[in-house]
Amino acid sequence: MSGSRVQGVIRPTAIVQKVEGKAWVRVDAEPDGEGKCKVVIGCDVEGKWVLHWGVSYDGEHGREWDQPPSEMRPPGSVPIKDYAIETPLNISHDSEGRMIHDVQIKIDKGTPIGAINFVLKEEETGAWFQHKGRDFRIPLIESFGEDLLGTEQDIDVRPGALGHLSNLLQKPEGPVPDDKGSRAKGISGCYEEYPIMKTVYAQNFVTVTVRENNGTNKHTVEFDTDIPGEVIIHWGVCKDNTMTWEIPPEPHPPTTKIFRQKALQTLLQQKADGTGNSISFLLDAEYSGLIFVVKLDEYTWLRNMENGFDFYIPLTRADTHEPHSAEKHKADDMASQPDGLISDIRNLVVGLSSRRGQRAKNKVLQEDILQEIERLAAEAYSIFRSPTIDTVEESVYLDDSEIVKPACSGTGSGFEILCQGFNWESHKSGKWYVELGSKAKELSSMGFTIIWSPPPTDSVSPEGYMPRDLYNLNSRYGTMEELREVVKTFHEAGMKVLGDAVLNHRCAQFQNKNGVWNIFGGRLNWDDQAVVADDPHFQGRGNKSSGDNFHAAPNIDHSQEFVRNDLKEWLCWMRKEVGYDGWRLDFVRGFWGGYVKDYLEASEPYFAVGEYWDSLSYTYGEMDYNQDAHRQRIVDWINATNGTAGAFDVTTKGILHSALERSEYWRLSDEKGKPPGVLGWWPSRAVTFIENHDTGSTQGHWRFPFGMELQGYVYILTHPGTPAVFYDHIFSHLHPEIAKLISIRRRQKIHCRSKIKILKAEGNLYAAEIDERVTMKIGGGHFEPSGPINWVVAAEGQDYKVWEVPL
């Protein structure tokens, strides 16, 4: 008999279906009682339809759009950038009772508007519908006499792509004007239809059941799906919780072929009742997991729609999970809890490891997975804090910042507020450590918990970012003794201190026989084997770089064991000799995050944050709304560090730029209604900021919109994540308001994992509620919080306002 363990779960997949229908445009030229003509645009295909449109004025013959005047915009319209409007189509019914979607645009008979330009957007699939690859254009006056006629051609629109709409001209209502009449001044009536073919995904299921066969050291694996037609499972197995695909030994299931000596392809058998396909086979119990995708034909491969990756079925659990009740967390079950949690966490980590290097789908990010990992980690942490464990420590509560200790390396308490303690010019005095130390008490009294100090080492550049002798801590900012003293001063003021560690590159002190500077001096007297081989400027003899090259100095090869050992020793030395509590890591794009994990596990920082800065996504000079690919790269780096470090949320800074300076506050909510930066996916590892020594100061590489800095600080100081405030802003006219915002955050105990509810994200207004204790708004639009909570104004100024719950 087989055991009853069910390891598989029901996992959704999708197949493509086509839905055909029509779109139409009707122009009613006869004015109504208000003297308005009417343009009706609609379609009869089910979906969530939006009209993306603008106008062209008489005398403008290009394809540029303008926003229509406000009196012309139907209710519910939202401005997009500075040239278009998006208007949702209303649901109604035609004369035969069928559901349709349409919108009416009213126009003055003598309007100077020459044409209406539009495309249709279906929000559920992300599809855009155009006319023969171009925008639709409805001419309203004679100088825009072109019409919408085209050749008959059906369309096939896939989600995310621009489709083509051909039209089928129907006879307009009323007499057909001759050619001369159609060019007359004024609006002419017409009616046109266009066939639409919308691609949709139908939900299907694959059930994978795994049972143990008692006494046989084998598993019975059963696949069952309701997908009709020919279905092939492309699969393999893995051992020891790795994700290396293997082919199990024969015998293989019936109708199985070996695919390129890397995987098996098994054709499922049609079920007798015709409701889908299934198969059952035996698998040796030595394997820890089964990996597969579903193949429907040569061009259609289905993965898990929940996360966009290959299906993974762990085979290592020995018990069946049922929902845990509160009683199951009591002491009598404590002995069995750690094993189950370890297995749960291991399976999640293995699943993530299998996706390393694969591109995640934007809409189904890792947020849920990451939250589950943090939940499991918190549960495991509570077990080891339990009095039933031999090693007993006092309980730690996340909501008490005074006694919170980091649960894992590099993440702090969750209540940190970071101050960048320098700018690009700070080195010029030669006594910056002394100057900074004089401000320790003031910064601590404002509510800052961490100070980020400048790079401490000997450096070719005075700012410290071209390090040379790592053990020489006499720099342009001051001496090693002054550095020790400033760290001690901040500790006495109750603040932690981060050192700025430049690990990606290092300037050499000697030339090789070819005259290339790649031989190092000082205590770490490396040769050119410490330099990556694919940097053309410095003739390294190491391995290829694991990241992007920084071309101004030799890029260090972190794959070399001697390099890693030396850097770990150096970081530990600085922790001990200087007293640093953690690190700001420069240019982490240059080397793999797994090396960072090694360095942080060795040096055990209280807090660590990496600078992973690259370009956001733009199309023709306009910032894209969806920046998932950008924040995914940052999250991937954090994942590679095993979550031991956070990262500066460059995505959020970039989106704030466009949102504020262009009055496009709709950008501050992603497609799932969450913050669009890293803080919307992994808030506990997101270090938010609006300015630093590179973007602002005298460099000004990417300066925050002038005069809008307080809106930026209202956003980051009320939201989850760990906010970082720039030195130049603290000691400026912004000081009082920044201090007030920090006070609100501390008073209401907003932390890096605080829950956020976005209330408004539209043209000139963004509003959100945080932990049901703080509500904020930025932008020129009007907003007041509602509901049963007695909100009290805590801060307000130009285009911002913050409310809090009275204590």
Side-chain angles (χ1 to χ4, degrees):
M1 295 289 292
S2 297
S4 60
R5 181 170 70 96
V6 178
Q7 183 68 34
V9 294
I10 297 176
R11 298 169 181 264
T13 64
I15 58 177
V16 174
Q17 292 183 348
K18 307 285 187 182
V19 178
E20 297 185 9
K22 65 182 179 181
W24 59 83
V25 174
R26 188 179 79 243
V27 179
D28 296 337
E30 291 299 321
D32 59 13
E34 299 176 351
K36 305 280 189 181
C37 302
K38 185 166 61 177
V39 174
V40 181
I41 302 169
C43 72
D44 62 358
V45 177
E46 185 177 354
K48 187 176 181 181
W49 292 93
V50 171
L51 185 71
H52 182 91
W53 65 290
V55 299
S56 297
Y57 285 90
D58 189 12
E60 298 176 352
H61 295 281
R63 287 282 169 177
E64 291 78 13
W65 294 18
D66 288 306
Q67 289 184 344
S70 57
E71 65 272 12
M72 187 175 170
R73 305 175 189 180
S77 297
V78 175
I80 302 298
K81 301 181 180 178
D82 57 357
Y83 64 86
I85 295 292
E86 285 195 350
T87 304
L89 272 63
N90 301 310
I91 298 176
S92 59
H93 294 83
D94 62 13
S95 58
E96 299 180 4
R98 292 172 298 194
M99 185 175 69
I100 60 173
H101 306 260
D102 63 8
V103 64
Q104 297 183 3
I105 301 172
K106 294 187 176 182
I107 312 167
D108 289 329
K109 180 71 175 178
T111 181
I113 293 173
I116 294 177
N117 313 293
F118 74 91
V119 294
L120 282 170
K121 176 182 176 183
E122 207 288 300
E123 291 196 324
E124 292 178 345
T125 61
W128 295 76
F129 295 82
Q130 290 183 303
H131 171 58
K132 296 192 292 184
R134 303 178 70 185
D135 305 334
F136 284 92
R137 170 166 285 198
I138 306 173
L140 299 179
I141 60 178
E142 71 174 22
S143 60
F144 287 85
E146 58 184 284
D147 58 27
L148 294 172
L149 293 176
T151 59
E152 291 188 19
Q153 178 183 356
D154 288 336
I155 61 156
D156 181 6
V157 179
R158 295 179 175 85
L162 288 176
H164 300 274
L165 289 181
S166 64
N167 63 303
L168 179 63
L169 179 63
Q170 305 295 319
K171 290 184 178 180
E173 298 176 0
V176 180
D178 57 21
D179 183 67
K180 182 177 179 180
S182 67
R183 299 295 183 184
K185 182 79 172 180
I187 299 174
S188 299
C190 68
Y191 177 79
E192 298 178 9
E193 289 185 353
Y194 314 90
I196 291 181
M197 185 180 292
K198 172 187 166 186
T199 298
V200 297
Y201 289 112
Q203 200 74 270
N204 291 88
F205 297 88
V206 175
T207 304
V208 184
T209 305
V210 181
R211 294 186 176 89
E212 291 180 349
N213 284 319
N214 295 333
T216 65
N217 197 33
K218 289 184 180 292
H219 293 139
T220 298
V221 179
E222 298 177 2
F223 281 88
D224 185 271
T225 178
D226 62 349
I227 299 176
E230 186 175 281
V231 178
I232 294 174
I233 301 296
H234 181 95
W235 65 285
V237 294
C238 59
K239 294 180 180 178
D240 301 325
N241 286 327
T242 67
M243 294 303 297
T244 303
W245 282 57
E246 296 184 19
I247 297 176
E250 295 181 341
H252 296 147
T255 63
T256 295
K257 297 179 181 179
I258 297 177
F259 179 79
R260 297 180 181 176
Q261 301 301 317
K262 294 182 179 180
L264 297 178
Q265 292 187 343
T266 300
L267 176 65
L268 301 192
Q269 301 169 0
Q270 186 174 2
K271 291 188 281 189
D273 59 5
T275 59
N277 297 272
S278 65
I279 200 166
S280 176
F281 55 89
L282 295 177
L283 192 63
D284 288 344
E286 63 178 303
Y287 300 110
S288 62
L290 184 148
I291 316 162
F292 71 95
V293 294
V294 180
K295 180 182 178 184
L296 300 184
D297 55 48
E298 291 301 319
Y299 307 101
T300 308
W301 298 73
L302 304 182
R303 290 178 170 179
N304 191 341
M305 283 191 67
E306 292 177 351
N307 51 38
F309 301 111
D310 299 345
F311 295 96
Y312 173 75
I313 304 295
L315 306 175
T316 56
R317 285 298 293 271
D319 58 328
T320 304
H321 268 303
E322 296 177 359
H324 286 291
S325 63
E327 291 75 18
K328 289 192 177 184
H329 291 287
K330 292 183 179 179
D332 58 349
D333 288 320
M334 291 296 295
S336 63
Q337 277 186 298
D339 289 341
L341 284 168
I342 289 170
S343 182
D344 282 342
I345 293 171
R346 180 180 293 118
N347 289 334
L348 278 170
V349 172
V350 167
L352 285 173
S353 297
S354 70
R355 299 155 192 165
R356 184 175 293 157
Q358 299 182 27
R359 183 174 181 178
K361 290 186 178 179
N362 290 339
K363 292 186 178 180
V364 287
L365 233 101
Q366 298 158 328
E367 175 190 334
D368 294 338
I369 296 174
L370 298 175
Q371 287 182 353
E372 179 66 7
I373 289 174
E374 291 193 350
R375 184 192 68 78
L376 290 168
E379 189 175 347
Y381 188 56
S382 68
I383 291 173
F384 297 120
R385 289 290 188 184
S386 168
T388 63
I389 306 298
D390 290 339
T391 305
V392 179
E393 295 186 27
E394 186 177 354
S395 296
V396 176
Y397 298 92
L398 190 62
D399 61 353
D400 190 343
S401 61
E402 298 301 320
I403 62 173
V404 165
K405 301 175 184 178
C408 59
S409 175
T411 59
S413 69
F415 292 88
E416 312 302 344
I417 303 175
L418 177 65
C419 167
Q420 179 175 1
F422 63 99
N423 61 30
W424 195 246
E425 304 296 320
S426 296
H427 64 89
K428 290 186 174 179
S429 71
K431 290 288 184 181
W432 184 251
Y433 292 143
V434 176
E435 295 179 35
L436 184 61
S438 68
K439 296 177 170 60
K441 290 183 179 179
E442 179 180 2
L443 292 171
S444 177
S445 66
M446 285 182 69
F448 289 105
T449 63
I450 297 178
I451 185 81
W452 159 20
S453 65
T457 65
D458 165 53
S459 171
V460 171
S461 65
E463 298 83 10
Y465 289 102
M466 299 282 280
R468 184 167 46 195
D469 184 353
L470 299 187
Y471 278 91
N472 181 357
L473 300 187
N474 296 310
S475 72
R476 300 291 182 91
Y477 297 100
T479 67
M480 182 174 178
E481 287 306 314
E482 289 169 341
L483 173 59
R484 285 193 179 113
E485 186 61 30
V486 73
V487 171
K488 178 183 175 183
T489 300
F490 275 97
H491 285 168
E492 291 172 348
M495 292 178 64
K496 305 291 186 183
V497 183
L498 302 186
D500 201 325
V502 184
L503 304 180
N504 174 75
H505 51 272
R506 180 185 172 195
C507 292
Q509 289 163 285
F510 306 101
Q511 295 169 292
N512 70 2
K513 61 183 180 180
N514 298 322
V516 176
W517 293 87
N518 61 12
I519 307 298
F520 304 91
R523 182 166 164 181
L524 302 183
N525 55 347
W526 302 332
D527 62 11
D528 52 6
Q529 290 185 5
V531 180
V532 298
D534 51 349
D535 185 341
H537 302 286
F538 295 102
Q539 297 182 6
R541 292 192 299 117
N543 297 312
K544 288 186 177 181
S545 176
S546 57
D548 296 333
N549 278 330
F550 178 82
H551 295 296
N555 288 253
I556 299 306
D557 179 11
H558 295 264
S559 70
Q560 303 284 359
E561 186 175 2
F562 74 89
V563 168
R564 295 199 306 277
N565 289 339
D566 284 349
L567 290 178
K568 286 188 281 189
E569 183 179 348
W570 174 66
L571 291 170
C572 291
W573 175 80
M574 286 207 296
R575 287 271 279 138
K576 180 180 178 181
E577 293 298 320
V578 178
Y580 284 134
D581 302 289
W583 316 112
R584 180 266 185 185
L585 302 169
D586 183 65
F587 197 75
V588 296
R589 275 175 47 205
F591 56 104
W592 178 45
Y595 299 134
V596 174
K597 171 181 175 289
D598 291 345
Y599 300 142
L600 298 187
E601 288 179 346
S603 59
E604 297 182 332
Y606 175 81
F607 189 89
V609 55
E611 179 208 29
Y612 194 102
W613 181 6
D614 67 354
S615 296
L616 280 76
S617 300
Y618 293 83
T619 300
Y620 301 117
E622 297 285 341
M623 179 181 287
D624 295 342
Y625 164 66
N626 189 319
Q627 294 294 335
D628 287 353
H630 184 267
R631 58 175 167 174
Q632 182 65 57
R633 292 192 291 274
I634 299 175
V635 167
D636 286 345
W637 179 83
I638 300 171
N639 265 328
T641 74
N642 205 29
T644 56
F648 287 110
D649 193 349
V650 180
T651 317
T652 289
K653 173 177 168 62
I655 293 171
L656 280 170
H657 274 242
S658 286
L660 272 59
E661 66 188 354
R662 300 173 66 90
S663 194
E664 296 173 351
Y665 291 80
W666 45 266
R667 291 183 179 272
L668 295 175
S669 176
D670 69 10
E671 294 173 345
K672 297 176 70 174
K674 306 218 174 196
V678 177
L679 73 90
W681 283 358
W682 205 348
S684 66
R685 302 302 189 274
V687 178
T688 53
F689 72 108
I690 70 167
E691 207 79 285
N692 63 27
H693 61 290
D694 286 321
T695 65
S697 190
T698 54
Q699 289 202 95
H701 289 323
W702 195 23
R703 201 177 301 279
F704 201 77
F706 179 75
M708 297 180 170
E709 294 89 352
L710 283 176
Q711 288 192 62
Y713 282 122
V714 167
Y715 184 92
I716 69 172
L717 286 169
T718 60
H719 279 49
T722 299
V725 183
F726 185 40
Y727 183 90
D728 289 7
H729 290 163
I730 298 168
F731 296 100
S732 73
H733 66 285
L734 304 177
H735 180 286
E737 294 305 312
I738 291 175
K740 187 182 297 184
L741 293 169
I742 293 173
S743 177
I744 295 169
R745 184 180 184 90
R746 288 174 60 85
R747 184 165 60 245
Q748 297 298 340
K749 297 186 177 179
I750 303 300
H751 54 86
C752 68
R753 295 178 178 86
S754 287
K755 301 300 182 185
I756 180 170
K757 179 181 179 182
I758 296 177
L759 305 175
K760 294 283 185 180
E762 50 196 40
N764 64 346
L765 174 65
Y766 171 84
E769 180 184 289
I770 302 90
D771 283 348
E772 298 183 345
R773 303 196 60 82
V774 170
T775 296
M776 55 77 70
K777 82 96 178 179
I778 54 176
H782 175 74
F783 175 82
E784 293 287 334
S786 59
I789 298 177
N790 179 28
W791 295 105
V792 175
V793 175
E796 62 180 317
Q798 180 67 41
D799 291 338
Y800 73 85
K801 200 168 186 179
V802 181
W803 298 262
E804 66 178 339
V805 174
L807 299 179

